[in-house]
Amino acid sequence: MSASVRDNKDESRFELDVGRELAFANYRLTPSAVIITHTETPRALRGRGIASELVKGALELIRRDGRKVVAGCGFVVDYLDKHPEYADLVA
């Protein structure tokens, strides 16, 4: 599913379509890092790993762009704690 995560630069958020629903992660850019400030999964989709797929895809896009990430929301903090393979991205 992470392959379908996209960076909507106009809205400053990463997005993941799930059926007719949309999960997203808002961010702010600094010169070298992406600060993920909030993740949102539609209520009907919660508990299915959608937010994890969203964050995973976002981190892959951040890695591809050669940036670092700052976890500005609790979900991303927890995700990074559980996934040491992304430790190199943490600013």
Side-chain angles (χ1 to χ4, degrees):
M1 200 179 325
S2 61
S4 60
V5 173
R6 66 184 171 276
D7 183 358
N8 182 339
K9 293 180 185 342
D10 291 338
E11 297 288 329
S12 296
R13 67 186 190 185
F14 296 103
E15 299 176 337
L16 175 62
D17 293 311
V18 183
R20 295 182 181 197
E21 302 284 349
L22 178 70
F24 62 89
N26 294 328
Y27 65 80
R28 288 192 335 255
L29 292 178
T30 71
S32 62
V34 178
I35 305 168
I36 300 177
T37 59
H38 176 73
T39 56
E40 183 74 35
T41 303
R43 188 171 303 281
L45 300 176
R46 292 182 186 163
R48 295 177 30 194
I50 304 298
S52 291
E53 287 298 320
L54 171 65
V55 172
K56 177 182 177 184
L59 292 172
E60 292 297 331
L61 290 171
I62 291 167
R63 176 176 276 146
R64 184 193 70 195
D65 289 344
R67 292 182 176 266
K68 297 289 187 181
V69 67
V70 174
C73 84
F75 186 85
V76 177
V77 170
D78 290 344
Y79 186 90
L80 289 169
D81 284 345
K82 293 175 186 172
H83 295 273
E85 66 270 27
Y86 293 109
D88 64 304
L89 294 180
V90 177

